[in-house]
Amino acid sequence: ASNYVSVPAIDANVYTFEMWFKPGTKAALNGVIGSLRFLIQIDGQTVSVWYNVYVGQLSWYSLPITSGNWQHLAVIIDYAAWDVTVYLNGVSYGTLVAPVHVKPPFGWMTIGTYNDRFYDGALDEVRIYEKKLTSGEVLAHYNSGDGQYGRPELGLAAGWHFDEGAGDVVHDFSGNGNHGTRLGAS
């Protein structure tokens, strides 16, 4: 399907992207969240995180996932420490430090596609924090299923339930008014 959401720019020095996802079986990597700064891609077997720092970049490939099952992903990008940390189902896959310390502009962001490579699967409770979640917080969110019914909380810049059912607006539950626009959906 060619459904996706365009969301407003959220410019910060620390980001945590958190979501629940249920990948389909499509073999090619396709965009889940995309921006000029970073890209999260998923196919039926792997999740890939690409982190752009202009001159140098960090890439994270081949984190194993299972198609058809709900899974939890948290990606923390810290432009103060110049690193990225990835958690899959509450488990940290380590931290990589950027080779060059240049913060690129945020620009635009899409959920469900990147460069017309549409995500095959389901997404729920996508959140963007303007803070670094701790490993304990990530694990607690995963273990409790926290995020299924997101609510405003400290450091949450935007959060979307994706349960509107109709219309072109995807409402931000954070209280910050970062509503998205649904495109390509009927």
Side-chain angles (χ1 to χ4, degrees):
S2 58
N3 305 329
Y4 69 98
V5 175
S6 175
V7 298
I10 298 167
D11 196 17
N13 282 322
V14 177
Y15 297 91
T16 298
F17 297 91
E18 185 178 36
M19 72 186 81
W20 288 93
F21 68 97
K22 182 180 179 182
T25 58
K26 196 175 196 178
L29 283 172
N30 41 80
V32 177
I33 294 181
S35 169
L36 293 173
R37 287 187 185 187
F38 64 91
L39 174 62
I40 299 171
Q41 294 178 296
I42 296 176
D43 64 15
Q45 299 175 9
T46 60
V47 62
S48 167
V49 177
W50 174 75
Y51 166 54
N52 175 11
V53 291
Y54 272 149
V55 180
Q57 69 186 32
L58 298 175
S59 297
W60 212 294
Y61 296 102
S62 301
L63 297 181
I65 59 173
T66 306
S67 64
N69 292 334
W70 281 102
Q71 291 152 91
H72 181 260
L73 179 69
V75 176
I76 301 169
I77 299 173
D78 185 342
Y79 284 100
W82 300 102
D83 62 29
V84 60
T85 305
V86 176
Y87 293 86
L88 182 61
N89 297 324
V91 176
S92 171
Y93 281 80
T95 299
L96 297 177
V97 177
V100 178
H101 299 170
V102 178
K103 179 182 171 189
F106 185 86
W108 47 267
M109 188 173 86
T110 57
I111 300 172
T113 189
Y114 183 77
N115 283 344
D116 293 327
R117 296 173 75 180
F118 296 96
Y119 175 61
D120 173 39
L123 294 173
D124 201 12
E125 300 304 321
V126 175
R127 299 174 181 200
I128 300 174
Y129 292 88
E130 293 178 305
K131 69 175 189 173
K132 209 175 197 177
L133 289 183
T134 66
S135 59
E137 288 171 316
V138 171
L139 185 60
H141 287 190
Y142 170 68
N143 285 333
S144 68
D146 191 17
Q148 294 177 2
Y149 305 102
R151 63 200 174 285
E153 59 185 287
L154 186 64
L156 182 65
W160 303 277
H161 295 299
F162 296 119
D163 61 0
E164 281 75 12
D168 295 333
V169 177
V170 179
H171 297 281
D172 168 22
F173 65 78
S174 74
N176 295 318
N178 289 311
H179 307 300
T181 304
R182 184 171 44 197
L183 302 161
S186 55

